[in-house]
Amino acid sequence: MRTRASGRTVGGLRTLSLQAPAVSLLLMWMLVPLVMTLWFSFQRYNLMMPSVSGFAGVDNYYFLLTDPSLWTAMGNTLLLVGWVLVATVVGGTLLAVLLQQEFFGRGVARLFVIAPFFIMPTVSALVWKNMMMHPVNGILAWVAGLFGLPAIDWFASLPLTSIVIIVTWQWLPFAVLILLTAIQSLDDDQVEAARMDGAGPIAIFFYITLPHLKRAISVVVMIEMIFLLTIFAEIFVTTSGGPGLASTNLAYLIYIRALLDFDVGGASAGGVIAIILANIVAFFLVRTVAKNLEN
């Protein structure tokens, strides 16, 4: 590679010129929506009141931060993400260990466990709403009737729990897929040596299998966290954020502000707050994952 008197390589300039269009397009893709969101968050911009406009300062943020619905939505978001992560990691680990064992029909069982991940969120929400959790015609109501128990109106009595169940059903296959792939790389000789030393299945799980899955679990948590913060379709199809705000998360609150209240300025302020919250969570999460990967 030739070097000029300035120290800059000719090949480096050529590479930079080739990368520039893609990098510029990527920056525009990222920065233009962010800058527009920031701009509208400081504007009085309500589609129902076009005569009221102009610079609003921090009024949109003040109104949103003093609105109890924001904190309810943030609490629901954290509860939704937390419970789904716990359920998918614990359930995914146990299912991965089970599906690793030799039994008749293991291939078919793996296929059925992984299949829900390929169903669109809207379709899975409709299936759970009309076929599983319906208080009259649902399968869960029929099972409750077999035991003489009253049917539960899931979306009216336990709206957030219902959303957690649906989202867990969708994301459990992803955790199983990642953890099953990781568990297949576990050294059989190490497990056999532990058995010869008298270790039982529980000891092998906690002292060999679980430490081996530590990195895979970190990856599952990181990837799921990114998507779970933006859950929308399941709430829109089943509960519409209700009753009241019982199942409204931050993404759905922004939708209410933007497309039901037509308050573009307030919705943009909510979007900025969501970005800050996601970055705070991502900061601690990436640090934790990186620490686990280094170990």
Side-chain angles (χ1 to χ4, degrees):
M1 184 178 292
R2 290 178 298 164
T3 304
R4 290 179 172 173
S6 61
R8 183 173 296 176
T9 60
V10 178
L13 284 175
R14 187 179 299 127
T15 304
L16 184 62
S17 63
L18 292 174
Q19 292 176 343
V23 173
S24 301
L25 183 62
L26 184 61
L27 285 175
M28 289 180 61
W29 185 274
M30 295 171 56
L31 291 179
V32 169
L34 179 61
V35 171
M36 289 184 67
T37 303
L38 279 172
W39 168 257
F40 283 122
S41 71
F42 292 104
Q43 300 293 316
R44 292 187 182 90
Y45 187 13
N46 192 314
L47 298 178
M48 299 296 290
M49 296 182 290
S51 59
V52 179
S53 61
F55 184 68
V58 296
D59 288 353
N60 289 327
Y61 290 95
Y62 178 78
F63 177 78
L64 202 58
L65 291 172
T66 54
D67 187 354
S69 62
L70 173 69
W71 302 105
T72 302
M74 290 181 71
N76 289 339
T77 303
L78 296 177
L79 284 174
L80 175 62
V81 173
W83 279 116
V84 173
L85 282 178
V86 170
T88 53
V89 169
V90 174
T93 304
L94 296 177
L95 278 175
V97 172
L98 177 64
L99 293 174
Q100 180 63 11
Q101 310 303 314
E102 290 287 347
F103 60 88
F104 177 74
R106 186 177 66 170
V108 177
R110 287 180 176 180
L111 182 63
F112 278 116
V113 169
I114 295 171
F117 187 61
F118 301 101
I119 300 176
M120 290 184 291
T122 306
V123 176
S124 62
L126 285 171
V127 168
W128 277 90
K129 180 180 181 181
N130 297 317
M131 297 182 64
M132 299 297 295
M133 292 181 169
H134 195 280
V136 178
N137 302 318
I139 293 177
L140 296 181
W142 175 74
V143 173
L146 292 179
F147 294 95
L149 300 173
I152 300 175
D153 191 352
W154 289 88
F155 298 110
S157 304
L158 303 166
L160 191 59
T161 304
S162 305
I163 302 297
V164 169
I165 293 173
I166 296 172
V167 177
T168 300
W169 182 76
Q170 290 174 323
W171 281 94
L172 183 62
F174 172 76
V176 173
L177 193 62
I178 298 296
L179 297 174
L180 184 60
T181 304
I183 207 171
Q184 287 175 346
S185 64
L186 182 62
D187 190 359
D188 292 335
D189 294 338
Q190 188 179 6
V191 177
E192 189 60 31
R195 285 179 182 154
M196 292 177 67
D197 288 339
I202 296 177
I204 292 175
F205 174 77
F206 280 105
Y207 293 103
I208 296 179
T209 305
L210 205 53
H212 177 76
L213 294 177
K214 198 172 180 180
R215 290 184 177 183
I217 290 173
S218 300
V219 172
V220 169
V221 171
M222 184 173 65
I223 295 177
E224 283 193 7
M225 177 81 78
I226 295 171
F227 289 94
L228 294 178
L229 285 170
T230 59
I231 289 294
F232 175 81
E234 296 83 352
I235 298 174
F236 179 79
V237 171
T238 56
T239 64
S240 297
L245 296 171
S247 59
T248 298
N249 66 349
L250 201 50
Y252 198 82
L253 181 67
I254 294 170
Y255 161 76
I256 292 174
R257 296 283 184 200
L259 297 180
L260 297 183
D261 296 342
F262 301 103
D263 184 5
V264 179
S268 300
V272 173
I273 292 173
I275 293 171
I276 294 172
L277 176 65
N279 278 276
I280 291 173
V281 173
F283 174 76
F284 290 104
L285 188 63
V286 169
R287 284 193 63 182
T288 304
V289 171
K291 188 177 179 180
N292 288 336
L293 294 179
E294 287 176 0
N295 293 332

